Amino acid sequence: MRQVVLDTETTGLEPEQGGHRVIELGAVEIVDRKITGRHLQHYVDPEREIDDAAFDVHGLDAEFLAGKPKFREIADEFLAFVEDAEVIIHNAPFDLAFLDYELSLLERRGTSKLTDVCTVTDSLALARRKHPGQKNGLNALCRRYEVDNSRRDLHGALLDAEILADVYLRMTGGQMSLFGNDEDALTETLGAREITRLPADRPAIAVVMASAEEIAVHEAYLDTLDASTETGAVWRRAGNALRARTP
């Protein structure tokens, strides 16, 4: 599976109402859950001024961007890079609004929006489902998944795409720990409290064995899984392997 982690920097917040434009594109390729080292990065001349608030975020000014290619000049390369991939964007609606606006200005037949050439996954929405009620900005996720973001003094599209690629792979790669390494999240979940130790002389935990009828129902369910999958029911394979190791 080919995925592309994508980020943009812009002149402001609203492309349609304020006519704001993309000024940097950064994209990182992932194939079969491995970062390949292939990437795309362009600074873009927006042909307009940059809001002060936006400059404070990314530090890119009109003087630096003067002479850089226009979006229309890098559009073909960009679209070829993301074509047929799953594109992963943190807070995707924001970046999509800008990219779709840029594409609309090109008047390309069949490519009026990014989803005409690829699928899009919002990693922020994914993080909110995995960590409800917690902070899920990129910096918070870096802390939670132990991703180094020490170079992120200012936002940069390629840098943020590289960081997000690491975060995404860790976030979707299985549970790392019960609460991760986010102390704020742990406090939110458990509250500030002391650890309670159970008494050593507490009664033993009762073990209730499955009845013959329950075992039969379970085996019948595993039969349906065996019939519907190429490799068979993983629970049955695990059970057989455990019984084979048991003296």
Side-chain angles (χ1 to χ4, degrees), residues 130-177:
K130 289 180 68 69
H131 309 290
Q134 300 177 28
K135 295 178 180 178
N136 289 298
L138 191 53
N139 284 335
L141 291 174
C142 286
R143 291 193 298 272
R144 188 171 298 140
Y145 289 101
E146 296 186 320
V147 172
D148 181 12
N149 66 340
S150 57
R151 295 181 296 152
R152 199 176 184 239
D153 295 329
L154 291 172
H155 291 212
L158 181 58
L159 174 61
D160 285 1
E162 291 172 340
I163 291 172
L164 179 58
D166 285 337
V167 166
Y168 175 81
L169 290 174
R170 295 190 183 207
M171 183 167 60
T172 58
Q175 181 173 308
M176 298 175 65
S177 64

mmCIF file of all heavy atoms in Angstrom, residues 130-177:
data_model
loop_
_atom_site.group_PDB
_atom_site.id
_atom_site.type_symbol
_atom_site.label_atom_id
_atom_site.label_comp_id
_atom_site.label_asym_id
_atom_site.label_seq_id
_atom_site.Cartn_x
_atom_site.Cartn_y
_atom_site.Cartn_z
ATOM 1 N N LYS A 130 -8.920 7.741 18.812
ATOM 2 C CA LYS A 130 -8.071 6.910 19.660
ATOM 3 C C LYS A 130 -7.855 7.520 21.037
ATOM 4 O O LYS A 130 -7.670 6.797 22.018
ATOM 5 C CB LYS A 130 -6.707 6.690 18.988
ATOM 6 C CG LYS A 130 -6.736 5.781 17.783
ATOM 7 C CD LYS A 130 -5.350 5.612 17.190
ATOM 8 C CE LYS A 130 -4.422 4.845 18.112
ATOM 9 N NZ LYS A 130 -4.781 3.418 18.244
ATOM 10 N N HIS A 131 -7.870 8.855 21.116
ATOM 11 C CA HIS A 131 -7.570 9.542 22.376
ATOM 12 C C HIS A 131 -8.640 10.605 22.659
ATOM 13 O O HIS A 131 -8.334 11.801 22.685
ATOM 14 C CB HIS A 131 -6.183 10.186 22.316
ATOM 15 C CG HIS A 131 -5.097 9.257 21.871
ATOM 16 N ND1 HIS A 131 -4.636 8.217 22.649
ATOM 17 C CD2 HIS A 131 -4.390 9.199 20.708
ATOM 18 C CE1 HIS A 131 -3.687 7.567 21.994
ATOM 19 N NE2 HIS A 131 -3.527 8.131 20.816
ATOM 20 N N PRO A 132 -9.874 10.201 22.860
ATOM 21 C CA PRO A 132 -10.942 11.191 23.061
ATOM 22 C C PRO A 132 -10.722 12.028 24.318
ATOM 23 O O PRO A 132 -10.263 11.522 25.342
ATOM 24 C CB PRO A 132 -12.207 10.325 23.184
ATOM 25 C CG PRO A 132 -11.705 8.977 23.614
ATOM 26 C CD PRO A 132 -10.371 8.815 22.961
ATOM 27 N N GLY A 133 -11.025 13.310 24.194
ATOM 28 C CA GLY A 133 -10.912 14.201 25.345
ATOM 29 C C GLY A 133 -9.495 14.626 25.662
ATOM 30 O O GLY A 133 -9.264 15.310 26.659
ATOM 31 N N GLN A 134 -8.521 14.257 24.825
ATOM 32 C CA GLN A 134 -7.135 14.617 25.074
ATOM 33 C C GLN A 134 -6.640 15.576 23.992
ATOM 34 O O GLN A 134 -7.296 15.777 22.973
ATOM 35 C CB GLN A 134 -6.265 13.355 25.107
ATOM 36 C CG GLN A 134 -6.674 12.368 26.192
ATOM 37 C CD GLN A 134 -5.838 11.094 26.143
ATOM 38 O OE1 GLN A 134 -4.696 11.118 25.698
ATOM 39 N NE2 GLN A 134 -6.405 9.996 26.591
ATOM 40 N N LYS A 135 -5.475 16.163 24.218
ATOM 41 C CA LYS A 135 -4.868 17.024 23.219
ATOM 42 C C LYS A 135 -4.332 16.160 22.077
ATOM 43 O O LYS A 135 -3.620 15.185 22.314
ATOM 44 C CB LYS A 135 -3.727 17.832 23.839
ATOM 45 C CG LYS A 135 -4.187 18.811 24.913
ATOM 46 C CD LYS A 135 -3.000 19.539 25.516
ATOM 47 C CE LYS A 135 -3.445 20.513 26.601
ATOM 48 N NZ LYS A 135 -2.291 21.211 27.233
ATOM 49 N N ASN A 136 -4.674 16.532 20.846
ATOM 50 C CA ASN A 136 -4.268 15.724 19.702
ATOM 51 C C ASN A 136 -3.595 16.539 18.606
ATOM 52 O O ASN A 136 -3.572 16.129 17.442
ATOM 53 C CB ASN A 136 -5.478 14.968 19.138
ATOM 54 C CG ASN A 136 -5.925 13.857 20.066
ATOM 55 O OD1 ASN A 136 -5.183 12.920 20.335
ATOM 56 N ND2 ASN A 136 -7.137 13.971 20.594
ATOM 57 N N GLY A 137 -3.068 17.714 18.980
ATOM 58 C CA GLY A 137 -2.228 18.449 18.051
ATOM 59 C C GLY A 137 -0.942 17.677 17.807
ATOM 60 O O GLY A 137 -0.603 16.720 18.520
ATOM 61 N N LEU A 138 -0.190 18.086 16.791
ATOM 62 C CA LEU A 138 1.006 17.337 16.417
ATOM 63 C C LEU A 138 2.031 17.294 17.541
ATOM 64 O O LEU A 138 2.648 16.249 17.787
ATOM 65 C CB LEU A 138 1.615 17.937 15.152
ATOM 66 C CG LEU A 138 2.725 17.121 14.475
ATOM 67 C CD1 LEU A 138 2.261 15.696 14.201
ATOM 68 C CD2 LEU A 138 3.176 17.800 13.198
ATOM 69 N N ASN A 139 2.207 18.391 18.269
ATOM 70 C CA ASN A 139 3.174 18.388 19.367
ATOM 71 C C ASN A 139 2.744 17.437 20.481
ATOM 72 O O ASN A 139 3.575 16.719 21.058
ATOM 73 C CB ASN A 139 3.350 19.800 19.917
ATOM 74 C CG ASN A 139 4.195 20.678 19.012
ATOM 75 O OD1 ASN A 139 5.010 20.182 18.241
ATOM 76 N ND2 ASN A 139 3.997 21.984 19.081
ATOM 77 N N ALA A 140 1.442 17.425 20.805
ATOM 78 C CA ALA A 140 0.943 16.520 21.838
ATOM 79 C C ALA A 140 1.128 15.065 21.418
ATOM 80 O O ALA A 140 1.504 14.210 22.232
ATOM 81 C CB ALA A 140 -0.523 16.811 22.123
ATOM 82 N N LEU A 141 0.891 14.765 20.149
ATOM 83 C CA LEU A 141 1.072 13.402 19.667
ATOM 84 C C LEU A 141 2.546 13.007 19.671
ATOM 85 O O LEU A 141 2.881 11.844 19.931
ATOM 86 C CB LEU A 141 0.486 13.259 18.262
ATOM 87 C CG LEU A 141 -1.038 13.347 18.182
ATOM 88 C CD1 LEU A 141 -1.500 13.347 16.721
ATOM 89 C CD2 LEU A 141 -1.702 12.204 18.946
ATOM 90 N N CYS A 142 3.418 13.947 19.392
ATOM 91 C CA CYS A 142 4.850 13.662 19.476
ATOM 92 C C CYS A 142 5.240 13.251 20.892
ATOM 93 O O CYS A 142 6.020 12.308 21.092
ATOM 94 C CB CYS A 142 5.671 14.870 19.030
ATOM 95 S SG CYS A 142 5.674 15.157 17.245
ATOM 96 N N ARG A 143 4.709 13.950 21.884
ATOM 97 C CA ARG A 143 4.996 13.575 23.276
ATOM 98 C C ARG A 143 4.418 12.197 23.582
ATOM 99 O O ARG A 143 5.078 11.369 24.222
ATOM 100 C CB ARG A 143 4.424 14.620 24.235
ATOM 101 C CG ARG A 143 5.133 15.968 24.193
ATOM 102 C CD ARG A 143 4.723 16.840 25.371
ATOM 103 N NE ARG A 143 3.303 17.151 25.361
ATOM 104 C CZ ARG A 143 2.771 18.178 24.725
ATOM 105 N NH1 ARG A 143 3.528 19.006 24.032
ATOM 106 N NH2 ARG A 143 1.453 18.400 24.784
ATOM 107 N N ARG A 144 3.207 11.964 23.123
ATOM 108 C CA ARG A 144 2.530 10.709 23.450
ATOM 109 C C ARG A 144 3.236 9.513 22.828
ATOM 110 O O ARG A 144 3.336 8.447 23.435
ATOM 111 C CB ARG A 144 1.079 10.775 22.967
ATOM 112 C CG ARG A 144 0.204 9.601 23.404
ATOM 113 C CD ARG A 144 -1.253 9.897 23.067
ATOM 114 N NE ARG A 144 -1.704 11.074 23.779
ATOM 115 C CZ ARG A 144 -2.506 12.020 23.254
ATOM 116 N NH1 ARG A 144 -2.926 11.900 22.008
ATOM 117 N NH2 ARG A 144 -2.871 13.053 23.967
ATOM 118 N N TYR A 145 3.738 9.688 21.605
ATOM 119 C CA TYR A 145 4.339 8.558 20.889
ATOM 120 C C TYR A 145 5.864 8.646 20.812
ATOM 121 O O TYR A 145 6.488 7.922 20.051
ATOM 122 C CB TYR A 145 3.740 8.467 19.479
ATOM 123 C CG TYR A 145 2.303 8.012 19.502
ATOM 124 C CD1 TYR A 145 1.257 8.927 19.362
ATOM 125 C CD2 TYR A 145 1.971 6.677 19.703
ATOM 126 C CE1 TYR A 145 -0.066 8.519 19.399
ATOM 127 C CE2 TYR A 145 0.660 6.260 19.738
ATOM 128 C CZ TYR A 145 -0.354 7.190 19.584
ATOM 129 O OH TYR A 145 -1.667 6.764 19.633
ATOM 130 N N GLU A 146 6.439 9.543 21.588
ATOM 131 C CA GLU A 146 7.897 9.674 21.700
ATOM 132 C C GLU A 146 8.555 9.909 20.339
ATOM 133 O O GLU A 146 9.530 9.257 19.965
ATOM 134 C CB GLU A 146 8.498 8.438 22.371
ATOM 135 C CG GLU A 146 8.053 8.249 23.811
ATOM 136 C CD GLU A 146 8.763 7.099 24.487
ATOM 137 O OE1 GLU A 146 8.965 6.050 23.841
ATOM 138 O OE2 GLU A 146 9.128 7.239 25.665
ATOM 139 N N VAL A 147 8.014 10.858 19.600
ATOM 140 C CA VAL A 147 8.583 11.266 18.320
ATOM 141 C C VAL A 147 9.331 12.583 18.533
ATOM 142 O O VAL A 147 8.790 13.525 19.118
ATOM 143 C CB VAL A 147 7.487 11.436 17.250
ATOM 144 C CG1 VAL A 147 8.055 12.058 15.978
ATOM 145 C CG2 VAL A 147 6.846 10.088 16.950
ATOM 146 N N ASP A 148 10.551 12.657 18.060
ATOM 147 C CA ASP A 148 11.392 13.842 18.247
ATOM 148 C C ASP A 148 10.884 14.994 17.383
ATOM 149 O O ASP A 148 10.875 14.903 16.150
ATOM 150 C CB ASP A 148 12.832 13.505 17.871
ATOM 151 C CG ASP A 148 13.784 14.693 18.067
ATOM 152 O OD1 ASP A 148 13.369 15.693 18.707
ATOM 153 O OD2 ASP A 148 14.929 14.620 17.580
ATOM 154 N N ASN A 149 10.456 16.072 18.024
ATOM 155 C CA ASN A 149 10.037 17.274 17.293
ATOM 156 C C ASN A 149 10.853 18.485 17.727
ATOM 157 O O ASN A 149 10.392 19.623 17.657
ATOM 158 C CB ASN A 149 8.544 17.540 17.510
ATOM 159 C CG ASN A 149 8.213 17.897 18.953
ATOM 160 O OD1 ASN A 149 8.998 17.603 19.850
ATOM 161 N ND2 ASN A 149 7.064 18.514 19.177
ATOM 162 N N SER A 150 12.096 18.236 18.160
ATOM 163 C CA SER A 150 12.917 19.312 18.709
ATOM 164 C C SER A 150 13.286 20.363 17.662
ATOM 165 O O SER A 150 13.630 21.488 18.006
ATOM 166 C CB SER A 150 14.195 18.727 19.331
ATOM 167 O OG SER A 150 14.929 17.976 18.373
ATOM 168 N N ARG A 151 13.223 20.006 16.376
ATOM 169 C CA ARG A 151 13.553 20.975 15.314
ATOM 170 C C ARG A 151 12.355 21.845 14.949
ATOM 171 O O ARG A 151 12.472 22.742 14.110
ATOM 172 C CB ARG A 151 14.019 20.233 14.058
ATOM 173 C CG ARG A 151 15.317 19.465 14.222
ATOM 174 C CD ARG A 151 15.691 18.789 12.915
ATOM 175 N NE ARG A 151 14.715 17.778 12.535
ATOM 176 C CZ ARG A 151 14.457 17.408 11.285
ATOM 177 N NH1 ARG A 151 15.090 17.994 10.281
ATOM 178 N NH2 ARG A 151 13.566 16.469 11.031
ATOM 179 N N ARG A 152 11.217 21.632 15.590
ATOM 180 C CA ARG A 152 9.990 22.306 15.165
ATOM 181 C C ARG A 152 9.816 23.640 15.888
ATOM 182 O O ARG A 152 8.784 23.893 16.520
ATOM 183 C CB ARG A 152 8.789 21.385 15.413
ATOM 184 C CG ARG A 152 7.543 21.763 14.619
ATOM 185 C CD ARG A 152 6.424 20.761 14.826
ATOM 186 N NE ARG A 152 5.282 21.082 13.992
ATOM 187 C CZ ARG A 152 4.059 21.338 14.453
ATOM 188 N NH1 ARG A 152 3.815 21.295 15.759
ATOM 189 N NH2 ARG A 152 3.083 21.624 13.627
ATOM 190 N N ASP A 153 10.789 24.527 15.785
ATOM 191 C CA ASP A 153 10.634 25.867 16.345
ATOM 192 C C ASP A 153 9.583 26.647 15.558
ATOM 193 O O ASP A 153 8.787 27.391 16.132
ATOM 194 C CB ASP A 153 11.972 26.615 16.317
ATOM 195 C CG ASP A 153 13.003 25.962 17.225
ATOM 196 O OD1 ASP A 153 12.584 25.380 18.247
ATOM 197 O OD2 ASP A 153 14.194 26.010 16.905
ATOM 198 N N LEU A 154 9.612 26.507 14.241
ATOM 199 C CA LEU A 154 8.595 27.066 13.360
ATOM 200 C C LEU A 154 8.002 25.929 12.542
ATOM 201 O O LEU A 154 8.640 24.898 12.330
ATOM 202 C CB LEU A 154 9.201 28.111 12.414
ATOM 203 C CG LEU A 154 9.676 29.416 13.042
ATOM 204 C CD1 LEU A 154 10.430 30.242 12.008
ATOM 205 C CD2 LEU A 154 8.505 30.219 13.608
ATOM 206 N N HIS A 155 6.762 26.119 12.092
ATOM 207 C CA HIS A 155 6.150 25.121 11.238
ATOM 208 C C HIS A 155 6.822 25.138 9.873
ATOM 209 O O HIS A 155 7.170 26.189 9.331
ATOM 210 C CB HIS A 155 4.657 25.408 11.061
ATOM 211 C CG HIS A 155 3.858 25.188 12.297
ATOM 212 N ND1 HIS A 155 2.559 24.751 12.268
ATOM 213 C CD2 HIS A 155 4.166 25.335 13.610
ATOM 214 C CE1 HIS A 155 2.091 24.654 13.508
ATOM 215 N NE2 HIS A 155 3.061 25.010 14.329
ATOM 216 N N GLY A 156 7.004 23.982 9.305
ATOM 217 C CA GLY A 156 7.490 23.841 7.936
ATOM 218 C C GLY A 156 6.798 22.650 7.324
ATOM 219 O O GLY A 156 6.637 21.611 7.982
ATOM 220 N N ALA A 157 6.353 22.756 6.075
ATOM 221 C CA ALA A 157 5.521 21.709 5.490
ATOM 222 C C ALA A 157 6.251 20.372 5.421
ATOM 223 O O ALA A 157 5.704 19.334 5.814
ATOM 224 C CB ALA A 157 5.045 22.132 4.104
ATOM 225 N N LEU A 158 7.489 20.364 4.932
ATOM 226 C CA LEU A 158 8.207 19.090 4.822
ATOM 227 C C LEU A 158 8.566 18.543 6.193
ATOM 228 O O LEU A 158 8.394 17.346 6.457
ATOM 229 C CB LEU A 158 9.461 19.259 3.976
ATOM 230 C CG LEU A 158 10.272 17.965 3.776
ATOM 231 C CD1 LEU A 158 9.431 16.878 3.119
ATOM 232 C CD2 LEU A 158 11.526 18.241 2.955
ATOM 233 N N LEU A 159 9.045 19.402 7.089
ATOM 234 C CA LEU A 159 9.385 18.951 8.441
ATOM 235 C C LEU A 159 8.160 18.369 9.137
ATOM 236 O O LEU A 159 8.221 17.291 9.739
ATOM 237 C CB LEU A 159 9.954 20.110 9.257
ATOM 238 C CG LEU A 159 10.223 19.813 10.741
ATOM 239 C CD1 LEU A 159 11.238 18.702 10.893
ATOM 240 C CD2 LEU A 159 10.694 21.081 11.455
ATOM 241 N N ASP A 160 7.030 19.063 9.052
ATOM 242 C CA ASP A 160 5.825 18.573 9.709
ATOM 243 C C ASP A 160 5.331 17.279 9.080
ATOM 244 O O ASP A 160 4.793 16.407 9.773
ATOM 245 C CB ASP A 160 4.731 19.636 9.664
ATOM 246 C CG ASP A 160 4.984 20.769 10.654
ATOM 247 O OD1 ASP A 160 6.022 20.719 11.340
ATOM 248 O OD2 ASP A 160 4.149 21.689 10.741
ATOM 249 N N ALA A 161 5.490 17.132 7.766
ATOM 250 C CA ALA A 161 5.104 15.885 7.105
ATOM 251 C C ALA A 161 5.992 14.733 7.582
ATOM 252 O O ALA A 161 5.504 13.614 7.805
ATOM 253 C CB ALA A 161 5.184 16.036 5.593
ATOM 254 N N GLU A 162 7.286 14.997 7.739
ATOM 255 C CA GLU A 162 8.194 13.953 8.233
ATOM 256 C C GLU A 162 7.825 13.546 9.653
ATOM 257 O O GLU A 162 7.803 12.352 9.988
ATOM 258 C CB GLU A 162 9.633 14.465 8.189
ATOM 259 C CG GLU A 162 10.188 14.637 6.778
ATOM 260 C CD GLU A 162 11.536 15.335 6.759
ATOM 261 O OE1 GLU A 162 11.874 16.012 7.755
ATOM 262 O OE2 GLU A 162 12.239 15.201 5.744
ATOM 263 N N ILE A 163 7.522 14.535 10.499
ATOM 264 C CA ILE A 163 7.144 14.234 11.877
ATOM 265 C C ILE A 163 5.824 13.473 11.905
ATOM 266 O O ILE A 163 5.663 12.481 12.632
ATOM 267 C CB ILE A 163 7.047 15.538 12.695
ATOM 268 C CG1 ILE A 163 8.445 16.145 12.879
ATOM 269 C CG2 ILE A 163 6.391 15.290 14.053
ATOM 270 C CD1 ILE A 163 8.433 17.531 13.496
ATOM 271 N N LEU A 164 4.852 13.936 11.122
ATOM 272 C CA LEU A 164 3.542 13.284 11.101
ATOM 273 C C LEU A 164 3.655 11.850 10.589
ATOM 274 O O LEU A 164 2.931 10.970 11.064
ATOM 275 C CB LEU A 164 2.564 14.078 10.241
ATOM 276 C CG LEU A 164 1.151 13.492 10.115
ATOM 277 C CD1 LEU A 164 0.487 13.321 11.477
ATOM 278 C CD2 LEU A 164 0.281 14.371 9.214
ATOM 279 N N ALA A 165 4.548 11.585 9.646
ATOM 280 C CA ALA A 165 4.725 10.223 9.160
ATOM 281 C C ALA A 165 5.139 9.296 10.305
ATOM 282 O O ALA A 165 4.603 8.184 10.445
ATOM 283 C CB ALA A 165 5.768 10.196 8.037
ATOM 284 N N ASP A 166 6.087 9.750 11.138
ATOM 285 C CA ASP A 166 6.505 8.948 12.291
ATOM 286 C C ASP A 166 5.347 8.764 13.269
ATOM 287 O O ASP A 166 5.107 7.658 13.772
ATOM 288 C CB ASP A 166 7.678 9.615 13.005
ATOM 289 C CG ASP A 166 8.990 9.462 12.248
ATOM 290 O OD1 ASP A 166 9.092 8.520 11.448
ATOM 291 O OD2 ASP A 166 9.897 10.287 12.451
ATOM 292 N N VAL A 167 4.633 9.843 13.547
ATOM 293 C CA VAL A 167 3.503 9.772 14.482
ATOM 294 C C VAL A 167 2.443 8.817 13.952
ATOM 295 O O VAL A 167 1.925 7.965 14.689
ATOM 296 C CB VAL A 167 2.901 11.173 14.709
ATOM 297 C CG1 VAL A 167 1.543 11.077 15.397
ATOM 298 C CG2 VAL A 167 3.851 12.028 15.547
ATOM 299 N N TYR A 168 2.096 8.947 12.684
ATOM 300 C CA TYR A 168 1.038 8.118 12.104
ATOM 301 C C TYR A 168 1.389 6.632 12.187
ATOM 302 O O TYR A 168 0.554 5.804 12.558
ATOM 303 C CB TYR A 168 0.796 8.521 10.655
ATOM 304 C CG TYR A 168 -0.200 7.619 9.952
ATOM 305 C CD1 TYR A 168 -1.570 7.801 10.124
ATOM 306 C CD2 TYR A 168 0.237 6.574 9.146
ATOM 307 C CE1 TYR A 168 -2.483 6.967 9.506
ATOM 308 C CE2 TYR A 168 -0.674 5.734 8.528
ATOM 309 C CZ TYR A 168 -2.024 5.933 8.704
ATOM 310 O OH TYR A 168 -2.926 5.096 8.096
ATOM 311 N N LEU A 169 2.624 6.283 11.864
ATOM 312 C CA LEU A 169 3.023 4.884 11.906
ATOM 313 C C LEU A 169 2.967 4.338 13.325
ATOM 314 O O LEU A 169 2.556 3.184 13.537
ATOM 315 C CB LEU A 169 4.427 4.719 11.323
ATOM 316 C CG LEU A 169 4.529 4.928 9.809
ATOM 317 C CD1 LEU A 169 5.993 4.894 9.363
ATOM 318 C CD2 LEU A 169 3.724 3.885 9.048
ATOM 319 N N ARG A 170 3.343 5.139 14.294
ATOM 320 C CA ARG A 170 3.271 4.680 15.683
ATOM 321 C C ARG A 170 1.821 4.627 16.162
ATOM 322 O O ARG A 170 1.432 3.697 16.876
ATOM 323 C CB ARG A 170 4.096 5.600 16.584
ATOM 324 C CG ARG A 170 5.580 5.557 16.277
ATOM 325 C CD ARG A 170 6.403 6.273 17.317
ATOM 326 N NE ARG A 170 7.811 6.287 16.960
ATOM 327 C CZ ARG A 170 8.793 6.361 17.846
ATOM 328 N NH1 ARG A 170 8.529 6.431 19.133
ATOM 329 N NH2 ARG A 170 10.052 6.378 17.441
ATOM 330 N N MET A 171 1.039 5.603 15.768
ATOM 331 C CA MET A 171 -0.352 5.672 16.222
ATOM 332 C C MET A 171 -1.182 4.526 15.660
ATOM 333 O O MET A 171 -2.124 4.066 16.294
ATOM 334 C CB MET A 171 -0.957 7.019 15.811
ATOM 335 C CG MET A 171 -2.380 7.239 16.287
ATOM 336 S SD MET A 171 -2.918 8.967 16.113
ATOM 337 C CE MET A 171 -2.744 9.215 14.337
ATOM 338 N N THR A 172 -0.830 4.054 14.471
ATOM 339 C CA THR A 172 -1.603 2.990 13.831
ATOM 340 C C THR A 172 -0.901 1.645 13.913
ATOM 341 O O THR A 172 -1.360 0.669 13.311
ATOM 342 C CB THR A 172 -1.857 3.325 12.350
ATOM 343 O OG1 THR A 172 -0.597 3.509 11.681
ATOM 344 C CG2 THR A 172 -2.685 4.581 12.214
ATOM 345 N N GLY A 173 0.187 1.570 14.678
ATOM 346 C CA GLY A 173 0.955 0.338 14.723
ATOM 347 C C GLY A 173 0.654 -0.541 15.908
ATOM 348 O O GLY A 173 1.380 -1.491 16.174
ATOM 349 N N GLY A 174 -0.394 -0.249 16.650
ATOM 350 C CA GLY A 174 -0.721 -1.044 17.819
ATOM 351 C C GLY A 174 -0.436 -0.288 19.092
ATOM 352 O O GLY A 174 0.292 0.689 19.116
ATOM 353 N N GLN A 175 -1.016 -0.771 20.180
ATOM 354 C CA GLN A 175 -0.890 -0.100 21.475
ATOM 355 C C GLN A 175 0.536 -0.169 21.976
ATOM 356 O O GLN A 175 1.146 -1.232 22.016
ATOM 357 C CB GLN A 175 -1.823 -0.771 22.489
ATOM 358 C CG GLN A 175 -1.779 -0.134 23.868
ATOM 359 C CD GLN A 175 -2.841 -0.710 24.777
ATOM 360 O OE1 GLN A 175 -4.006 -0.756 24.412
ATOM 361 N NE2 GLN A 175 -2.437 -1.146 25.941
ATOM 362 N N MET A 176 1.093 0.984 22.341
ATOM 363 C CA MET A 176 2.458 1.035 22.853
ATOM 364 C C MET A 176 2.491 0.883 24.369
ATOM 365 O O MET A 176 3.373 0.295 24.943
ATOM 366 C CB MET A 176 3.120 2.353 22.445
ATOM 367 C CG MET A 176 3.247 2.516 20.939
ATOM 368 S SD MET A 176 3.893 4.130 20.509
ATOM 369 C CE MET A 176 5.538 4.022 21.219
ATOM 370 N N SER A 177 1.505 1.432 25.024
ATOM 371 C CA SER A 177 1.372 1.272 26.466
ATOM 372 C C SER A 177 -0.060 1.643 26.820
ATOM 373 O O SER A 177 -0.809 2.114 25.972
ATOM 374 C CB SER A 177 2.356 2.168 27.235
ATOM 375 O OG SER A 177 2.057 3.522 26.995
#
